[in-house]
Amino acid sequence: HQPNFRPDQEALEESPQQLVRVRSWVREERGQAANIAKMEVLLRHSLDSLGSWIQTRPTGEQAQAELEKGKVEIDSLRRQLETLLGEDEQALAARQAHAMQALHVQYREVALMVVVALGSGWFAILLLTNSIVSLVKHVGEKTRRLAKHLPLLPPSNGNV
């Protein structure tokens, strides 16, 4: 005994939920809402046709013609979905490339700031070292003059 499983009924019940999911994925700014609306009409028509076909259960050539028509509609839907997917993949790739460019620019800016900071630090160390050496020389000169019992020289404008 098999359970009462009706894939057509399941598809009819799930299709509105799937359409809501597809709409949420599509970005309005890319103008895809109109494409989704067209696909929704085509899907509803296909599902309605399938439902009426299942109810009437045609035979022979009529059944073959209905199946062929349904296949054409489903193929059209598949192509449209593939097109949307391709466009989304292209948009994603473009956004990723743009994000990578922005990241590389940020890396260059950070590297430049590090170089400037290191250069400024070395310059400050050089100035400080030069000032200390100058003071030590000046103190050394005063010490030598005092050791020789010579008078100290008055400080010049640049020295302490």
Side-chain angles (χ1 to χ4, degrees):
H1 179 266
Q2 288 211 356
N4 189 7
F5 181 71
R6 296 199 44 198
D8 59 308
Q9 194 64 30
E10 188 177 313
L12 282 171
E13 291 170 2
E14 288 183 6
S15 64
Q17 297 159 355
Q18 298 302 329
L19 285 171
V20 167
R21 285 181 56 204
V22 169
R23 267 194 227 104
S24 71
W25 295 335
V26 174
R27 296 183 178 274
E28 286 292 330
E29 67 267 12
R30 289 192 27 241
Q32 294 296 1
N35 291 339
I36 295 297
K38 289 177 191 175
M39 290 172 62
E40 185 175 5
V41 169
L42 188 57
L43 179 63
R44 290 207 187 281
H45 181 267
S46 295
L47 291 173
D48 290 345
S49 296
L50 180 62
S52 67
W53 183 76
I54 289 171
Q55 294 296 325
T56 59
R57 299 195 185 275
T59 58
E61 289 181 17
Q62 183 184 9
Q64 185 66 28
E66 288 294 323
L67 283 173
E68 198 60 40
K69 184 176 151 187
K71 182 182 180 298
V72 168
E73 289 177 351
I74 289 171
D75 286 344
S76 174
L77 273 170
R78 184 177 297 118
R79 282 190 302 274
Q80 290 178 24
L81 282 171
E82 287 171 354
T83 300
L84 282 176
L85 181 61
E87 290 172 358
D88 281 347
E89 287 173 353
Q90 289 174 350
L92 177 61
R95 285 193 303 270
Q96 286 175 336
H98 181 68
M100 289 304 291
Q101 278 182 329
L103 191 59
H104 288 299
V105 167
Q106 288 176 347
Y107 285 157
R108 283 191 295 261
E109 289 174 352
V110 167
L112 180 64
M113 285 189 282
V114 166
V115 167
V116 168
L118 287 175
S120 298
W122 282 111
F123 185 70
I125 289 172
L126 179 66
L127 287 177
L128 181 64
T129 304
N130 193 18
S131 176
I132 290 172
V133 167
S134 175
L135 286 173
V136 168
K137 283 182 181 178
H138 186 67
V139 168
E141 181 61 32
K142 286 185 176 186
T143 304
R144 277 189 290 281
R145 290 187 70 77
L146 284 174
K148 294 179 183 178
H149 301 291
L150 297 173
L152 295 177
L153 298 174
S156 62
N157 288 341
N159 298 333
V160 177

